[in-house]
Amino acid sequence: MNLLVASLLLVLVARAAYATPAVGASCTVSSYNDVAGAVSSCTSITLKGFTVPAGKALIMKLKSGTTVKVAGTIKFAVSEWKGPLVEISGSKITFSGAGGYFDGQGASYWDGQGDKGKTKPKFFRIKTTGGSHFNNIKLLNCPHQCVSINPASDTTLTDWTVDVSAGDSKGGKNTDGFDLSNSSGITIKHAVVKNQDDCVAVNQGSHYVFQNLTCSGGHGLSLSVGQSSQNGNPNTVKNVTFSDCTVTNSRNGIHVKTHNDAGTGAISDVTYKNIKLSGITNYGINIQEDYENGGSSGNPKANIPISKLNLQSVTGSMSGGSSSMPVYILCGSNGCNNWNWSGVSIGNGKKKNSCNYKPSGFSC
Ligand SMILES: *[C@@H]1O[C@H](CO)[C@@H](O)[C@H](O)[C@H]1NC(C)=O
Ligand SMILES: *[C@@H]1O[C@H](CO)[C@@H](O)[C@H](O)[C@H]1NC(C)=O
Ligand SMILES: *[C@@H]1O[C@H](CO)[C@@H](O)[C@H](O)[C@H]1NC(C)=O
Ligand SMILES: *[C@@H]1O[C@H](CO)[C@@H](O)[C@H](O)[C@H]1NC(C)=O
């Protein structure tokens, strides 16, 4: 057999193996058309660079224990739809960056209008369970909200980079970093988020840990509770910890808002610990029970009470601009209780603090 024939045969064998991979096999995916076959047969998948066709999503309902490596740039042809562009589910999944990243082509959607204007797809949805781990994932230029964790459980994200900084000058808006809802047991560690909305927005769920996040350009470390229908279920947020995070050049450092126009529920056992702020333009700490139709009504209600909101060492500085107020607390009647704050010290504000509820350990 000469070399040419031998290599031809090798290619044919490789192609045949590809078309019908053995269950549990390793697959390399270099085209969108090969995704479904790989997901149904393989437990070790390498994604090379390819483009997902317009209006389609990269949906991977993975077999338990599957390992996925992202080794190329995955792009998404532009289409005005709601997405999400990526949806990953399965149990015991290990999903890692290996030199590749996801490019949402945000600039083709941004129009300065976020939720309004052009319909923009959400980007990356996580629905994993059972000790799943997403490591070293990079998302570039989210058209709209970046990562939605909903519903998921027992899942850890480490070393993510979510970079929408190009949207700062090109009309990026509502590009939330991580949105969490209907989930439990989620940890996000060592992530960098550069965007134009909340770095993290906890909407609902329990047992969340956020550690060592570096946020810039956006709206801060947020709880935003009550705005979305939970199919009639209360909007409950319980046992959430943010620690060792920095927030720079953002509208807020910490933002807790309850929507008084919809929903029932409760927020409790939330801790912010060792949070460093700088260049915050509006509020260092902004806690408001008067969120309504996307704005502040000035009429706080206690439909979603906030208890045991504990702060420990929240330090740093405001931008010094004319709207900068270090601490703002607006609670409905009996809407806030048992808050314990220590080491809260934020300088360089222009406006005086305003609090209609006094946390223990903090004199407004
Ligand atoms: C709070 O959540 C963390 C992280 O999931 C967990 O380790 C801890 O046991 C939870 N605490 C309570 C009181 O449920
Ligand atoms: C939460 O997720 C579960 C699946 O984990 C689903 O069955 C349930 O309907 C979801 N609940 C809400 C309120 O969306
Ligand atoms: C986050 O982790 C990095 C690397 O481990 C460390 O250098 C940095 O100081 C940490 N940031 C915070 C705010 O703890
Ligand atoms: C408030 O928090 C501080 C610092 O974590 C702690 O020492 C103190 O015991 C707490 N007080 C209450 C009443 O929980």
Side-chain angles (χ1 to χ4, degrees), residues 80-97:
E80 291 186 32
W81 72 304
K82 290 189 169 175
L85 300 175
V86 181
E87 187 171 308
I88 311 297
S89 53
S91 172
K92 302 188 176 68
I93 304 307
T94 304
F95 197 102
S96 314

Side-chain angles (χ1 to χ4, degrees), residues 190 212 244-246:
H190 291 266
N212 201 289
D244 304 318
C245 298
T246 60

Side-chain angles (χ1 to χ4, degrees), residues 65-336:
T66 297
T67 297
V68 178
K69 289 198 168 72
V70 183
T73 304
I74 300 174
K75 292 191 180 175
F76 300 83
V78 173
S79 167
E80 291 186 32
W81 72 304
K82 290 189 169 175
L85 300 175
V86 181
E87 187 171 308
I88 311 297
S89 53
S91 172
K92 302 188 176 68
I93 304 307
T94 304
F95 197 102
S96 314
Y101 61 95
F102 295 89
D103 183 348
Q105 320 274 342
S108 301
Y109 299 90
W110 299 328
D111 55 5
Q113 299 188 65
D115 294 335
K116 304 193 179 72
K118 278 188 194 171
T119 304
K120 306 168 184 75
K122 293 190 185 189
F123 201 170
F124 200 102
R125 183 165 179 185
I126 293 177
K127 298 166 63 174
T128 50
T129 62
S132 294
H133 192 184
F134 291 75
N135 179 46
N136 194 26
I137 299 300
K138 183 169 179 188
L139 302 190
L140 193 64
N141 296 337
C142 317
H144 194 218
Q145 289 148 322
C146 295
V147 184
S148 310
I149 301 179
N150 175 16
S153 61
D154 194 5
T155 291
T156 300
L157 281 60
T158 49
D159 295 304
W160 279 57
T161 302
V162 175
D163 187 354
V164 202
S165 53
D168 288 348
S169 59
K170 291 191 186 140
K173 196 178 172 188
N174 300 130
T175 50
D176 301 22
F178 298 97
D179 292 325
L180 293 90
S181 207
N182 197 16
S183 296
S184 172
I186 308 297
T187 296
I188 304 181
K189 270 191 213 178
H190 291 266
V192 174
V193 177
K194 302 174 185 175
N195 68 340
Q196 295 83 27
D197 206 312
D198 299 315
C199 179
V200 172
V202 171
N203 301 131
Q204 198 253 353
S206 58
H207 312 311
Y208 296 154
V209 174
F210 306 97
Q211 200 185 338
N212 201 289
L213 308 187
T214 304
C215 307
S216 62
H219 295 179
L221 301 167
S222 308
L223 310 185
S224 177
V225 183
Q227 79 281 35
S228 48
S229 155
Q230 299 291 337
N231 302 332
N233 297 326
N235 297 275
T236 304
V237 170
K238 194 171 165 66
N239 187 20
V240 175
T241 302
F242 294 85
S243 62
D244 304 318
C245 298
T246 60
V247 184
T248 57
N249 301 334
S250 293
R251 191 179 292 181
N252 310 286
I254 292 171
H255 194 185
V256 177
K257 58 190 181 191
T258 62
H259 297 244
N260 73 11
D261 46 356
T264 57
I267 296 174
S268 66
D269 300 291
V270 175
T271 300
Y272 288 88
K273 188 174 165 181
N274 191 22
I275 309 295
K276 294 196 166 59
L277 311 179
S278 66
I280 306 298
T281 54
N282 291 34
Y283 300 100
I285 299 166
N286 178 6
I287 301 165
Q288 53 172 147
E289 292 195 315
D290 69 333
Y291 214 68
E292 193 172 283
N293 300 323
S296 308
S297 69
N299 175 27
K301 293 186 188 153
N303 55 316
I304 300 174
I306 305 171
S307 62
K308 298 192 202 159
L309 174 65
N310 299 325
L311 269 53
Q312 224 178 310
S313 183
V314 178
T315 59
S317 60
M318 306 297 294
S319 67
S322 59
S323 2
S324 60
M325 182 190 290
V327 179
Y328 178 69
I329 301 173
L330 184 64
C331 295
S333 169
N334 298 318
C336 297

